[in-house]
């Protein structure tokens, strides 16, 4: 259930600050003094009851987490800074730089909402930068995260007075963003309170029903727990264990979640009655467990040992359910005082480590900080906003799996990871050379899903030998984008020699057709951001750059360098009769007879397309589709070279086009396509195909000759109607 704090109590005189301050029972004078001084400073600025109440409530929440003086000061200042009642300059002139950075860091935390609200792949560069800045603030000083979580609790409390839509939206955001984040950082106090508020707003009737059942049984349960606690203390003393024993507070959301998970009624839940035992050491935990099990019969299926196998967020405790007095079931949680502090505070206790008083807790908190720091390494491992967003969601909002190396080092991976994901996490070469894996000494397949506590040994070969099957999503060999990116990169490097040879052959052939040489293509190296010709040729062979792109670039450079207009053609245009017969290509150049023309390869116009002409230097008139981008670029430089052209009355023998078909890679696909081509009397000039094993797709480019645009349109329509065809379209080049 949600907490009721001093700042909510209407019986306390609102402005009686000294009484409120004393009620907090600070464990040290430094924090008490800091809160008092900040209160005096803020009173002079604004004494609005609502803002003062929020400021005080933040202090109450953070004080229960034992946060330091700087954190409490920043929390008190934040509501005023958020409402523009104080400026950045005011804060920096009265308080330390650390306090200002904490206040600013709280605001930066708002960027985390993008992770929830944006669709995959929709992140802009600015949004990614905002997320990274937010994460950086988390890494630099994790106290800003803790304050933001406290702010979330207050925003949820204030939402109770809003309309239903506002309450539900606030609850959805908190339950999908801040509750998982609090859980990941191990701050149990805040996690449970956020979840109870969200449950209250999203399922009000269920919440009230469970709360009512708890209230009805409260008096009987309290008396029962008091008697049971006394018996537990007596049992502990018989085995020489000293510690605290008390009733455990109930959280309505956790009760409902257990009812749903185990399909149980409220009356059949085991942990409605619950106590917690806190002792000094781990050995005392197991002694206490033995004492409890000796006196009361345990329910074996309800036993969990999170000390030997901690939860992913570091939670440690022993949970057991026993049949207590009167035959009633009661849950007992056993943990050390340190485990209890970490389960309630989690990473919120990191400030103690920073001040040098951690006394052995440094490793526990540093692991959580290291997790935050890992979020900043993704730029090195993934490419593009969509993959980064996917990994961010995985890191913050999804469960993690903790596994061990043969040496006992802990590695945390996204849930669903496989041995190959583990191998690539260790090092790229370990993944490339992986030939098998053992889990706890037993050989497992690459598709094995890692479980918490697995100890993994990777078997490797001397030479790297990844398999393309590893990228097949349906086989489940790798599930992390990090491993997938490294495998893609390896194959790209391995294919470079093959792509280089194929690219050279393709480009030289196309250059010859255009009367150009490989030397003419050298300026294209810089144009396509390559360092040398071999890189450009490999890109052509790999399909990253097309030959037509290079040739168009070369031709545009040649045309720009020609300042002279073909005077012979221009004069011919001015003197020729207006009406002429179509030439061999079936094109009429307005005002010109028997003039050399050719079909531009950049757009391959077909009879029926709207066309335009461009006077070249020494090659006649090139015929383009009217919407050709290459034509538009050339006319921007030399608009005087434009000439009107149209199709003549007679049919040409055919026009060359390239059609791309994208379909499911299945048996008989090419046979079905060629059958339609034959029926439509399309003359095939060449076929190129590429299969994507990961997506199980095939892309087929077909060079063909068609008589006119109508026949091409009919052909594309019939191809699109074939089974498993995703797309059939005409390519410009």
């Amino acid at each position: 259930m949600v907490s009721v704090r001093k700042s909510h109590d209407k019986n306390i005189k609102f402005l009686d600050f000294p009484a409120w301050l004393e009620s907090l029972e600070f464990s040290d004078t430094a924090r008490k003094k800091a809160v008092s001084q900040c209160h005096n400073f803020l009173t002079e600025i604004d004494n609005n009851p609502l803002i003062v109440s929020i400021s005080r409530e933040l202090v109450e929440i953070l004080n229960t987490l034992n946060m330091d003086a700087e954190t409490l000061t920043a929390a008190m200042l934040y509501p005023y800074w958020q409402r523009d009642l104080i400026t950045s300059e005011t804060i920096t002139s009265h308080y330390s730089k650390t306090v200002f950075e904490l206040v600013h860091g709280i605001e930066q935390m708002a960027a985390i909402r993008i992770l929830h609200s944006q669709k995959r792949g929709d992140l802009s560069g600015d949004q990614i930068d905002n997320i990274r800045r937010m994460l950086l603030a988390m890494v630099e000083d994790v106290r800003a995260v803790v304050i933001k979580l406290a702010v979330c609790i207050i925003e949820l409390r204030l939402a109770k007075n809003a309309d239903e839509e506002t309450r539900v939206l606030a609850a959805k955001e908190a339950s999908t963003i801040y509750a998982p984040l609090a859980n990941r950082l191990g701050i149990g106090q805040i996690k449970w309170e956020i979840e109870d508020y969200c449950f209250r707003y999203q399922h009000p009737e269920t919440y009230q029903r469970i709360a009512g059942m708890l209230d009805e049984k409260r008096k009987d349960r309290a008396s029962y727990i008091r008697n049971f606690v006394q018996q537990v203390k007596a049992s502990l003393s018989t085995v020489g264990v000293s510690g605290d024993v008390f009733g455990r507070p109930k959280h309505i959301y956790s009760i409902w979640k257990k009812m749903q998970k185990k399909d149980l009624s409220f009356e059949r839940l085991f942990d409605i009655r619950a106590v917690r035992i806190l002792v000094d050491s781990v050995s005392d935990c197991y002694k206490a467990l033995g004492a409890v099990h000796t006196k009361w019969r345990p329910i074996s299926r309800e036993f969990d040992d999170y000390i030997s196998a901690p939860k992913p967020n570091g939670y440690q405790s022993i949970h057991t359910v026993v049949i207590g007095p009167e035959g009633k079931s009661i849950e007992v949680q056993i943990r050390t005082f340190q485990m209890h502090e970490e389960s309630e505070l989690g990473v919120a206790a990191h400030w103690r480590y920073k001040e040098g008083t951690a006394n052995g807790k440094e490793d526990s908190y540093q692991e959580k900080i290291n997790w935050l720091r890992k979020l900043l390494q993704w730029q090195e491992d993934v490419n593009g906003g969509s993959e980064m967003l996917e990994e961010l969601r995985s890191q913050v909002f999804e469960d993690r799996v903790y596994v061990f190396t043969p040496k006992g080092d802990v590695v945390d991976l996204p849930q669903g990871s496989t041995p190959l994901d583990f191998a690539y996490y260790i090092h790229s070469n370990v993944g490339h050379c992986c030939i098998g894996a053992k889990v706890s000494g037993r050989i497992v397949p690459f598709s094995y899903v890692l479980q918490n506590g697995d100890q993994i040994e990777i078997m490797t070969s001397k030479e790297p030998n990844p398999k393309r099957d590893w990228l097949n999503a349906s086989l489940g060999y790798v599930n992390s984008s990090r491993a997938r990116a490294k495998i893609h990169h390896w194959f790209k490097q391995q294919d470079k020699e093959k792509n280089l040879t194929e690219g050279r052959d393709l480009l030289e052939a196309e250059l010859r057709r255009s009367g150009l040489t490989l030397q003419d293509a050298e300026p294209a190296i810089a144009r396509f951001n390559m360092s040398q010709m071999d890189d450009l040729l490999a890109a052509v062979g790999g399909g990253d750059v097309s030959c037509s792109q290079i040739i168009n670039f070369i031709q545009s450079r040649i045309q720009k360098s020609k300042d002279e207009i073909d005077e012979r053609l221009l004069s011919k245009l001015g003197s020729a009769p207006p009406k002429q017969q179509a030439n061999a290509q079936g094109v009429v150049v307005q005002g010109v007879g028997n003039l050399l023309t050719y079909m531009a390869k950049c757009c391959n116009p077909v009879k029926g397309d709207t066309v335009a002409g461009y006077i070249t230097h020494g090659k006649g008139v090139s015929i383009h589709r009217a919407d050709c981008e290459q034509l538009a670029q050339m006319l921007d430089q030399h608009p005087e070279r434009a000439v009107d052209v149209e199709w003549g009355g007679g049919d040409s023998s055919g026009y060359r086009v390239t059609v791309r078909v994208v379909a499911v890679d299945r048996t008989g696909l090419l046979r079905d396509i060629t059958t339609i081509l034959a029926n439509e009397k399309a003359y095939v000039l060449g076929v190129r195909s590429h299969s994507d094993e990961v997506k199980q797709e095939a892309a087929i480019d077909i060079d063909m000759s068609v008589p006119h645009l109508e026949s091409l349109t009919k052909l594309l329509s019939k191809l699109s109607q074939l089974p498993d065809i995703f797309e059939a379209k005409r390519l410009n080049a």
Side-chain angles (χ1 to χ4, degrees), residues 12-24:
I12 297 178
K13 188 178 180 182
F14 182 77
L15 295 179
D16 188 9
F17 175 76
W20 172 80
L21 189 64
E22 290 300 325
S23 69
L24 296 181

Side-chain angles (χ1 to χ4, degrees), residues 371-394:
W371 169 78
L372 293 170
R373 192 173 293 281
K374 285 178 185 176
L375 304 186
L376 300 180
Q377 298 174 355
W378 287 327
Q379 279 190 331
E380 301 172 6
D381 297 327
V382 297
N383 298 314
S386 63
E387 289 189 5
M388 181 179 180
L389 178 60
E390 179 183 354
E391 200 77 3
L392 279 165
R393 293 178 192 272
S394 170

Side-chain angles (χ1 to χ4, degrees), residues 153-165:
I153 290 176
I154 295 174
E155 290 175 345
L156 287 171
R157 180 179 63 79
L158 294 176
K160 69 179 181 182
N161 299 320
D163 57 86
E164 182 180 358
E165 182 180 4

Side-chain angles (χ1 to χ4, degrees), residues 123-133 379 384-386 388:
L123 286 179
S124 68
D126 290 341
Q127 289 169 333
I128 291 175
D129 286 342
N130 287 338
I131 293 175
R132 295 190 76 252
R133 282 196 293 270
Q379 279 190 331
S386 63
M388 181 179 180

Side-chain angles (χ1 to χ4, degrees), residues 348-604:
H350 175 63
W351 67 271
R352 294 182 177 177
Y353 149 63
K354 290 183 69 174
E355 292 181 353
T357 59
N359 295 327
K361 298 180 183 178
E362 173 178 344
D363 291 341
S364 172
Y365 299 126
Q366 190 60 37
E367 283 181 9
K368 293 181 174 69
I369 301 303
N370 286 341
W371 169 78
L372 293 170
R373 192 173 293 281
K374 285 178 185 176
L375 304 186
L376 300 180
Q377 298 174 355
W378 287 327
Q379 279 190 331
E380 301 172 6
D381 297 327
V382 297
N383 298 314
S386 63
E387 289 189 5
M388 181 179 180
L389 178 60
E390 179 183 354
E391 200 77 3
L392 279 165
R393 293 178 192 272
S394 170
Q395 290 279 3
V396 178
F397 301 127
E398 296 179 9
D399 291 333
R400 307 286 292 172
V401 59
Y402 283 66
V403 295
F404 298 91
T405 67
K407 294 182 179 180
D409 296 328
V410 179
V411 174
D412 70 319
L413 299 166
Q415 194 168 51
S417 293
T418 66
L420 279 174
D421 291 313
F422 172 84
Y424 276 102
Y425 181 91
I426 299 301
H427 196 278
S428 298
N429 286 336
V430 175
H432 294 334
C433 297
C434 180
I435 58 174
K438 292 181 180 180
V439 172
S440 301
R442 179 175 56 89
I443 295 178
V444 295
F446 284 154
S447 56
Y448 172 82
V449 178
L450 300 179
Q451 305 296 320
N452 277 323
D454 283 346
Q455 187 174 53
I456 306 166
E457 178 185 352
I458 300 297
M459 297 178 286
T460 59
S461 61
K462 293 183 179 179
E463 298 295 330
N465 190 27
K467 302 293 189 294
R468 290 191 182 273
D469 282 349
W470 294 357
L471 295 172
N472 190 333
S474 62
L475 298 178
Y477 290 151
V478 294
N479 290 314
S480 68
S481 59
R482 176 175 181 168
R484 193 175 299 277
K486 290 183 177 181
I487 297 170
H488 273 300
H489 180 72
W490 190 87
F491 279 113
K492 188 174 181 180
Q493 292 298 110
Q494 297 305 306
D495 293 340
K496 186 173 183 179
E497 291 299 324
K498 177 183 175 183
N499 291 339
L500 177 61
T501 303
E502 293 181 357
R504 185 183 298 275
D505 294 341
L506 285 172
L507 185 57
E508 286 182 341
E510 290 297 325
L511 289 171
R512 281 196 300 272
R513 293 192 188 101
S514 301
L516 300 170
T517 65
L518 197 59
Q519 187 175 1
D520 295 325
E522 288 183 354
I525 296 173
R527 162 63 179 81
F528 293 99
N529 298 318
M530 305 294 175
S531 58
Q532 55 185 351
M533 178 59 73
D534 284 355
D535 294 337
L536 181 62
L537 296 176
V540 172
D544 297 328
V545 179
S546 69
C547 294
S548 60
Q549 287 177 301
I550 297 175
I551 291 172
N552 289 340
F553 173 72
I554 298 171
Q555 288 178 339
S556 66
R557 281 178 56 86
I558 293 174
Q559 289 163 353
K560 288 177 182 178
S561 66
K562 303 293 185 181
D563 295 326
E564 297 180 359
I565 303 299
D566 193 328
E567 298 297 338
R568 179 180 61 83
L569 290 179
L570 289 178
S571 61
K572 209 168 187 180
L573 280 174
S575 58
K579 197 78 172 176
Q580 300 293 334
Q581 296 294 321
N583 60 13
Q585 282 74 35
V587 176
V588 174
V589 180
Q590 293 298 316
V592 181
N594 193 26
L595 187 63
L596 176 66
T597 63
Y598 67 94
M599 300 298 171
K601 292 184 179 180
C602 54
C603 55
N604 287 328

Side-chain angles (χ1 to χ4, degrees), residues 1-3 5 60-66 149 153 182-183 185-197 249 251 276 340-346 348:
M1 303 179 72
V2 297
S3 300
R5 301 186 173 87
E60 291 185 39
I61 296 173
L62 297 171
N63 183 50
T64 61
L65 299 177
N66 295 323
L149 293 174
I153 290 176
N183 179 61
L185 299 179
I187 311 176
Q189 289 186 28
I190 289 182
K191 169 183 176 290
W192 288 119
E193 188 162 0
I194 290 176
E195 288 181 337
D196 274 5
Y197 266 122
H251 302 288
R276 182 170 287 149
H340 179 66
E341 180 177 314
E342 290 198 31
S343 71
E344 297 298 305
L345 306 185

